[in-house]
Amino acid sequence: MTASRQPPAPDSDLESTPRPAMPRALLVMRGPFLGKIIEIPDAGMIIGRSDECDLIVGTARDGTSRRHARVYQKNGTMRIKDLGSTNGLFLNGRGCRRGKLKTGDRIEIGHTLIKALSDVDEIEFHSKLYDMAIHDPLTGLFNRSHLREAAPSKSKARMSAILFDIDSFKTINDTHGHPAGNTVLLEVARLIRGSMPETVLSFRYGGDEFLILLPGTTIEYAVVMAERFRRKVEAHDFRHAGTSIPVTVSIGVAETDGVGKRLEGLILAADEALYTAKDDGRNRVRHGTGDDRNQTRRLAPFAV
């Protein structure tokens, strides 16, 4: 009597430990880009502090090299390789020159901690959290805390800044109520989106104060854009609950060529120009320079 054959075991029984999915994205868990999700492109990516890297993290001070590590695919697996960094690459707490990446692995580069992810739902969840963290909930513009991350990192890049606030905004709130004030803020944000090029970075900088960064832009161009925006706000019909609300803005503009200059100096110059616009009677544009942190040049307005 022959023994009966048993049916083959299902695939799930053949592998007691299923192979983990290949990472699809990296989550920054410690560092200035906390919470940011970076999807790994098919061509791989370079991580480091150089402007040419796909994921820019760290500083020279915290031990991050300009081109610190590379993440790439090989033979159906995701891998990471140290690119000759000065202070080394660490994978799951151990020094690593090269190795395979799996979901949940932790990568340390300088002070930055990065986690490898593969689950689509987890990636989407963290992406939404990060999006909420960097945007102002009322206007949808970037919030002030995201300024350093969003601003161009190239130290020698020319950049202009437009800083403005709403004239007598407290009076608007006191006269028409805070819901009316929120309506005005929302409409101003909408006008920014409709008036400025897509390349600008727009922030709700304070309560009724807004900042627009224009990378690669001269002050002449920025002043023209600011004046056009000022006129558009002045002509716009702001309404709340059927009531028309007159709104104007005062604007300060500054520029820096970026050579050895800091973002704080640029914003300080724009802020000083904004105060000059207020002192000169509001509802106007004034401009200065971000190349001298202690002084704002008061120049005649450009022809528009």
Side-chain angles (χ1 to χ4, degrees), residues 150-217:
S153 59
K154 292 185 178 181
S155 60
K156 296 185 179 180
R158 180 179 296 277
M159 182 163 59
S160 295
I162 297 173
L163 183 67
F164 72 89
D165 68 13
I166 299 170
D167 294 327
S168 304
F169 185 68
K170 183 178 183 302
T171 301
I172 293 175
N173 278 331
D174 292 344
T175 303
H176 302 281
H178 287 278
N182 286 343
T183 297
V184 170
L185 293 171
L186 281 167
E187 282 295 290
V188 167
R190 189 178 68 81
L191 290 175
I192 292 174
R193 294 189 186 94
S195 304
M196 297 291 169
E198 293 183 358
T199 53
V200 308
L201 300 167
S202 304
F203 303 81
R204 186 180 178 190
Y205 195 65
D208 65 313
E209 198 169 25
F210 296 82
L211 173 67
I212 302 170
L213 297 179
L214 299 92
T217 299

Side-chain angles (χ1 to χ4, degrees), residues 18 27 30 36 41 49 51 86 108 120 132 134 154 161 171 173 193 214 234 244 252-253 257 260 293:
L27 167 66
R30 185 178 67 226
K36 187 172 186 177
R49 60 182 171 86
D51 297 320
T86 303
E108 288 183 79
V120 175
M132 291 170 61
I134 65 175
K154 292 185 178 181
T171 301
N173 278 331
R193 294 189 186 94
L214 299 92
E234 185 180 29
S244 181
V253 183
D257 60 11
R293 297 188 62 185

Side-chain angles (χ1 to χ4, degrees), residues 26 62 81 97 103 107 109 157 196 221 254 256 264:
L26 301 177
D62 78 1
K81 178 182 178 181
R97 289 198 172 276
T103 298
I107 305 160
I109 294 176
M196 297 291 169
Y221 177 79
T256 178
E264 291 92 337

